Amino acid sequence: MEGDSIFGFVVLGIMLTLIYFFWDRSRKNLPLNPFKKQSKKKIYIEDEDEETPEEKEKKQKSNEKKKRVNIRELLDIEDIKHGLMKLKNDRFVLVVKAGGVNYYLKSPGEQEAIDAAFEAGISAYDGSEMIIYTQSRRVDYDDHIKYQLDLVGNNRSLNDVQAYYCLNVLNNVDIWQTNTEVYEKHRYFLLPYDLSAKDKKKFKNEDQLYKRIFIIMSRKAKILMDTMGRAGVRNVHIATNVRIYEMLHHAMRRSDSRHYKLEEALRREVDALFVTSDRDEHQIELVEKITKEVESDAS
């Protein structure tokens, strides 16, 4: 009996040893079979001394180009001119910006009239599919505060107490809009126009093509704008180039668009002696084209 118990302890010890052995090898990512030779991974190291300086510079530029992401590539926008966005697939987009209406403060009859006018405006639109885009932005009263500060500073009829009160109120409004997450909605109607082969043959001049498409789309947009006006919607107008850039600017810089404003960016770009921002191939070709035209006119 004693021999059987000793043999049982020996077998149990061997089993526990084997279990620990296999667990330890699996933990170290080693093969379970200790007699199997593990193949070594070959690591190839490039000899940098064999590369010429031109090859190194070309390789560095290629890596930087892969990391760079341009807004035109993200939105497939080729150009913005004459109030139109030109996409890469021969599609032009006219942007109509619309204000809001206090729908839930209206009576049931007024709400029904607004719904009917909106449906009529959408149904009367004759063209490709319409895109309704709603954008949320943080409230921005900087321009209005600046306007009121100018009024207070130029108003000589105010005494010191009244001027101090006005400045204090405007300062509190500025602090409120900075520390409060309050958003307002901006509504856009994107009206596309697909370029046909007939248009390409008829209008070979690019500026004439833009103007012709703008006239066509403006007529279609006017029906929508008139209908929105009858529904009580205010400030319905066709967006200019700057307003289109503003829409894209807030779409791509939602977190810091209030602090890094479009107007400030455009002013810095115009006043800069050297262009420090990245330029894509389309912009470089456009600059070269304009430079050649200016040189030919000067000669």
Side-chain angles (χ1 to χ4, degrees):
M1 295 294 293
E2 293 180 358
D4 294 339
S5 61
I6 294 173
F7 179 77
F9 281 117
V10 171
V11 173
L12 181 62
I14 293 173
M15 291 178 63
L16 293 176
T17 303
L18 290 174
I19 291 173
Y20 175 78
F21 175 77
F22 290 123
W23 172 80
D24 184 62
R25 292 188 70 84
S26 63
R27 181 175 60 88
K28 296 179 180 179
N29 293 326
L30 297 175
L32 298 180
N33 186 2
F35 302 103
K36 182 179 179 181
K37 293 183 179 181
Q38 187 177 5
S39 59
K40 295 182 179 181
K41 295 182 179 180
K42 295 181 180 181
I43 301 175
Y44 297 94
I45 302 175
E46 295 182 357
D47 190 2
E48 297 182 355
D49 296 335
E50 295 181 357
E51 293 183 354
T52 61
E54 291 79 8
E55 292 177 350
K56 289 182 180 180
E57 185 178 0
K58 186 177 180 180
K59 185 177 180 181
Q60 185 178 1
K61 288 183 179 180
S62 177
N63 293 334
E64 291 178 356
K65 190 174 181 180
K66 290 178 181 178
K67 295 178 183 178
R68 189 183 306 160
V69 178
N70 194 283
I71 187 173
R72 295 175 184 271
E73 299 175 1
L74 293 175
L75 301 177
D76 290 333
I77 295 176
E78 186 174 334
D79 200 0
I80 298 175
K81 190 188 300 182
H82 298 298
L84 294 171
M85 289 192 301
K86 182 182 179 183
L87 308 185
K88 291 183 178 180
N89 55 356
D90 286 338
R91 169 171 283 196
F92 293 81
V93 179
L94 181 76
V95 180
V96 176
K97 186 176 182 181
V101 60
N102 293 325
Y103 182 82
Y104 294 103
L105 298 180
K106 303 290 184 180
S107 64
E110 292 174 332
Q111 291 182 357
E112 186 177 355
I114 293 173
D115 294 337
F118 184 78
E119 292 176 2
I122 299 298
S123 302
Y125 171 72
D126 182 18
S128 303
E129 68 277 8
M130 180 192 300
I131 302 172
I132 300 176
Y133 173 52
T134 303
Q135 189 178 84
S136 297
R137 303 181 192 172
R138 288 189 62 177
V139 292
D140 184 8
Y141 298 127
D142 288 346
D143 295 336
H144 186 68
I145 291 174
K146 184 179 179 181
Y147 172 73
Q148 294 296 334
L149 286 173
D150 293 337
L151 290 180
V152 174
N154 297 327
N155 193 343
R156 299 181 180 179
S157 61
L158 297 177
N159 56 38
D160 294 339
V161 177
Q162 293 172 335
Y164 176 78
Y165 175 78
C166 295
L167 295 176
N168 192 27
V169 170
L170 294 175
N171 184 44
N172 289 333
V173 173
D174 187 25
I175 295 174
W176 170 81
Q177 72 168 355
T178 303
N179 300 326
T180 307
E181 293 286 339
V182 179
Y183 291 85
E184 57 182 352
K185 288 185 178 181
H186 294 256
R187 301 161 183 86
Y188 298 91
F189 294 91
L190 307 182
L191 311 180
Y193 178 87
D194 295 321
L195 190 65
S196 62
K198 184 179 179 181
D199 295 329
K200 293 181 180 180
K201 293 180 180 179
K202 187 176 181 180
F203 302 99
K204 295 183 180 180
N205 190 334
E206 188 177 14
D207 290 336
Q208 293 180 358
L209 179 63
Y210 270 93
K211 292 177 181 179
R212 178 59 180 170
I213 295 175
F214 182 81
I215 292 173
I216 295 174
M217 298 308 297
S218 297
R219 293 172 181 171
K220 296 181 178 181
K222 191 176 185 305
I223 301 174
L224 178 65
M225 294 165 61
D226 293 341
T227 310
M228 292 293 104
R230 287 196 294 270
V233 181
R234 299 179 179 179
N235 299 326
V236 185
H237 57 272
I238 297 175
T240 59
N241 291 347
V242 177
R243 297 284 77 86
I244 295 175
Y245 280 117
E246 182 186 46
M247 178 187 70
L248 300 176
H249 177 75
H250 284 274
M252 300 303 299
R253 303 182 65 97
R254 289 179 59 86
S255 58
D256 58 350
S257 59
R258 183 187 171 276
H259 303 286
Y260 188 76
K261 296 185 179 181
L262 176 66
E263 290 79 5
E264 182 67 18
L266 293 176
R267 187 185 64 80
R268 291 181 180 181
E269 188 74 12
V270 172
D271 295 343
L273 180 60
F274 300 100
V275 179
T276 57
S277 59
D278 295 333
R279 289 290 183 263
D280 58 9
E281 296 179 359
H282 171 75
Q283 290 170 315
I284 295 174
E285 292 176 357
L286 185 60
V287 171
E288 292 178 352
K289 179 182 177 182
I290 295 175
T291 304
K292 291 179 181 178
E293 292 178 356
V294 172
E295 290 177 353
S296 62
D297 294 339
S299 60

